[in-house]
Amino acid sequence: MKRTHQLSSGQPLTTQTLRAHGVDVERILSELVSDPASCGVLLTGSLAAGNGTPSSDVDLMVLVPHRTSLISTKDGVRFKNSRFSEALQYCDGIEVNIELAERGRVAEIMTWMTAIAPALYKPSELKFIPIIDGPELRFLHRLRAGLPLLNPSLVASWRDEFLVELLPTYLTVRHFMEVHEYLEDAISHRAVSEESSRHVARIAVEEALVSILAALGVTSAARKWLLIESRKAMATAGEVDRSLLAEGLSIHADCATGPLGECLTRIEALHQRMARRMAAEPELARAVEFLQGSITYVLEHQG
């Protein structure tokens, strides 16, 4: 039976702390891989992010550097997809989710990030940026933001090789591009279905919020937590970013029932404000300049 715990009480989260509360990371690792000493382990999820609760699951990511045979878990259930294996265990009533990333299976993600790096700084190649989604994007975020528990030197090596510090820049630029694409779709849908146009307009605003958050270094904005993450970021953001987030949240709410034409115009204006904000940062300026050159704003030219 699942039970609560005190891991979110503000104490440092280490393997010793977890073990004291019933989660023995070393034992879990020894049941999953044949060579535990060669693996790195990170604490991820809400506990690592500092917003866990007494009922939060313990999320672990295991970095397996070689093609080590994975051992069948005794008490867990394992799921697999093309790149990752996941195991579910209960340790003294605490739910523990384990994601295993084997080096050979995730090597392609490293290739993608290597391709992204020059593209961001050579704007003429921006159209070739690989689109990273789903488990791969989650993996990069967890690798970047997770709390190392075992073998921190291996964790640091993976972070360097996967260029995870480039993730905020990648997300900022990518979702900035997608705001305009969804806005164009919302405008075209308006002639057919106002309901559809409103739906797509809300997606455009969500893309804007993801981009703004990424510019602030937040790469964990899953859609189900996007509005909460945006409000949370406003507490520490500077005046410009706080204003952008506030406007995005306001438009998102108004897209449901407010005047549709006004919402579309506000999204366009928000996108232009985002461009000015991004252009103030050297690592984003050239990319934004290139993108702006290929964007034709429509609504502002209408009477």
Side-chain angles (χ1 to χ4, degrees):
M1 182 176 180
K2 186 173 180 178
R3 69 172 177 86
T4 59
H5 53 73
Q6 298 301 315
L7 289 169
S8 58
S9 61
Q11 58 192 312
L13 292 172
T14 64
T15 53
Q16 291 79 13
T17 306
L18 291 169
R19 189 185 306 115
H21 287 81
V23 180
D24 190 333
V25 176
E26 289 93 341
R27 179 191 60 77
I28 293 173
L29 188 61
S30 69
E31 294 179 354
L32 293 171
V33 297
S34 58
D35 185 14
S38 69
C39 299
V41 180
L42 301 95
L43 178 69
T44 64
S46 59
L47 289 174
N51 52 18
T53 70
S55 60
S56 292
D57 302 337
V58 174
D59 295 302
L60 303 176
M61 186 162 75
V62 180
L63 309 179
V64 185
H66 308 295
R67 291 192 173 276
T68 307
S69 298
L70 300 179
I71 302 172
S72 299
T73 58
K74 292 180 180 179
D75 304 315
V77 178
R78 177 169 294 152
F79 308 91
K80 292 184 179 180
N81 61 32
S82 59
R83 297 190 194 279
F84 305 97
S85 295
E86 297 182 4
L88 171 65
Q89 293 191 11
Y90 284 90
C91 299
D92 192 22
I94 298 176
E95 184 173 322
V96 182
N97 299 300
I98 308 110
E99 179 179 52
L100 297 105
E102 182 195 334
R103 181 60 171 264
R105 291 182 179 175
V106 298
E108 188 179 10
I109 304 174
M110 185 189 304
T111 303
W112 292 346
M113 292 301 286
T114 303
I116 285 168
L120 290 173
Y121 299 102
K122 188 177 181 182
S124 61
E125 296 181 8
L126 275 171
K127 57 188 175 183
F128 300 116
I129 290 181
I131 297 298
I132 303 175
D133 277 315
E136 291 81 9
L137 197 57
R138 182 183 65 180
F139 160 73
L140 290 170
H141 163 68
R142 290 183 171 182
L143 179 59
R144 174 178 178 266
L147 177 66
L149 295 176
L150 293 175
N151 208 343
S153 61
L154 179 66
V155 174
S157 174
W158 278 54
R159 285 173 170 170
D160 289 342
E161 294 176 19
F162 280 87
L163 302 176
V164 293
E165 287 309 311
L166 191 62
L167 187 59
T169 305
Y170 164 71
L171 292 175
T172 301
V173 173
R174 169 185 162 181
H175 291 283
F176 173 82
M177 295 166 64
E178 293 180 346
V179 173
H180 189 261
E181 292 174 4
Y182 279 107
L183 176 58
E184 287 187 325
D185 288 343
I187 294 170
S188 64
H189 285 206
R190 189 181 182 187
V192 179
S193 167
E194 180 169 312
E195 181 182 3
S196 176
S197 180
R198 287 185 184 278
H199 174 69
V200 178
R202 284 168 69 92
I203 296 175
V205 180
E206 291 170 359
E207 296 293 330
L209 292 173
V210 172
S211 179
I212 297 164
L213 288 171
L216 293 169
V218 179
T219 57
S220 59
R223 295 308 166 113
K224 64 180 179 179
W225 302 113
L226 180 57
L227 302 186
I228 294 174
E229 288 283 359
S230 297
R231 295 187 185 99
K232 179 181 175 182
M234 289 175 64
T236 56
E239 182 178 353
V240 172
D241 291 312
R242 186 165 61 248
S243 175
L244 290 172
L245 289 168
E247 176 67 358
L249 290 168
S250 175
I251 300 171
H252 192 271
D254 290 346
C255 277
T257 57
L260 179 57
E262 180 180 332
C263 288
L264 297 175
T265 300
R266 290 172 67 191
I267 295 171
E268 186 173 270
L270 175 64
H271 195 243
Q272 293 177 349
R273 290 177 59 193
M274 291 169 60
R276 291 193 292 273
R277 180 259 189 261
M278 292 164 62
E281 296 192 17
E283 65 270 27
L284 295 172
R286 288 200 297 165
V288 173
E289 180 182 4
F290 171 77
L291 291 171
Q292 287 292 90
S294 62
I295 289 174
T296 301
Y297 289 106
V298 178
L299 296 171
E300 66 173 1
H301 300 302
Q302 296 179 359

